[in-house]
Amino acid sequence: MDPDFKPDNSNIPLPRNLKIDGIIDSNIVNLNIASIVSRWIDKVDINSKLAHLRELYLPYKFNLLLRGSRDGFSPKKFHELCGNKPNTTTFIKVRETEEILGGYNPSKWKSSDSYSQPCSFIFSFKNKDKLGDSILSHVNNMNNTFSYPNWRGPSFGSSDLKLSVPGLYSTSSSYNFNICKQEYYEKKIRDTEDDLI
């Protein structure tokens, strides 16, 4: 057995994308992504490159708090609908691509300049149907896991995954200063630092 051998999984079918009512209400992700993120939250098979091929792992019901296409893309809406909520997962579809970015915050989103949480992580999927290309990145520097000033939406690290408006603008403005640049998390989750939304 060669521990470095990577099987060619291009011919292995993914678990069926079943419609299971109440698990997740999303226009961005499917049950396969919900299953993978749930495994990461529970630290189940996180080092396996083939975990996405296993049976669906769905121990959680994902309650939709904010949908940008419905509620708007502003820090004010994010603070209003997601503030003081623990155990949240953020899913972001990158404009004009199939790319999905996100992060998990086990703590409450609470107003402060920054705070730390060792169990948080950020992630990316190049495409919701090509799950083998996912990237999981854990906290590497505990100084600034989250930032939550009123001009930002979900922000992981200083700039690892940040949706915001410049501080001079109204918090009702749409996000127009979005960054994904590795700094406080262990891995870069995007090949580019282009605008996200």
Side-chain angles (χ1 to χ4, degrees), residues 8-167:
D8 175 18
N9 58 13
S10 60
N11 294 326
I12 301 173
L14 293 172
R16 289 178 291 144
N17 190 10
L18 304 172
K19 295 279 185 192
I20 299 175
D21 291 337
I23 298 293
I24 190 163
D25 175 15
S26 175
N27 296 331
I28 297 175
V29 301
N30 56 29
L31 288 178
N32 291 321
I33 289 179
S35 173
I36 290 170
V37 171
S38 296
R39 286 177 189 279
W40 292 339
I41 291 168
D42 288 349
K43 298 179 175 73
V44 174
D45 292 331
I46 60 172
N47 294 322
S48 172
K49 293 291 184 185
L50 300 176
H52 67 282
L53 299 173
R54 299 185 196 279
E55 183 177 323
L56 291 175
Y57 179 78
L58 300 167
Y60 303 109
K61 177 181 180 186
F62 288 77
N63 295 316
L64 182 66
L65 300 176
L66 182 147
R67 174 176 280 148
S69 59
R70 177 191 71 197
D71 303 312
F73 295 96
S74 72
K76 180 179 179 183
K77 266 303 177 190
F78 176 73
H79 286 262
E80 180 183 311
L81 298 174
C82 301
N84 293 310
K85 302 274 196 284
N87 301 310
T88 57
T89 305
T90 301
F91 295 105
I92 302 162
K93 180 164 183 312
V94 179
R95 177 183 37 221
E96 299 177 11
T97 73
E98 294 299 314
E99 191 175 7
I100 298 168
L101 307 175
Y104 172 68
N105 177 6
S107 300
K108 292 180 179 180
W109 289 107
K110 55 187 176 187
S111 292
S112 68
D113 285 338
S114 64
Y115 58 99
S116 298
Q117 173 48 256
C119 296
S120 71
F121 57 83
I122 58 176
F123 56 85
S124 67
F125 295 90
K126 299 286 185 200
N127 181 308
K128 69 180 175 183
D129 297 319
K130 295 182 181 176
L131 306 177
D133 294 336
S134 63
I135 297 172
L136 169 64
S137 183
H138 291 283
V139 176
N140 196 31
N141 182 331
M142 288 301 299
N143 291 329
N144 190 8
T145 309
F146 297 102
S147 295
Y148 196 65
N150 66 351
W151 65 88
R152 288 189 184 172
S155 295
F156 296 83
S158 176
S159 59
D160 295 84
L161 180 57
K162 176 173 80 172
L163 301 182
S164 67
V165 295

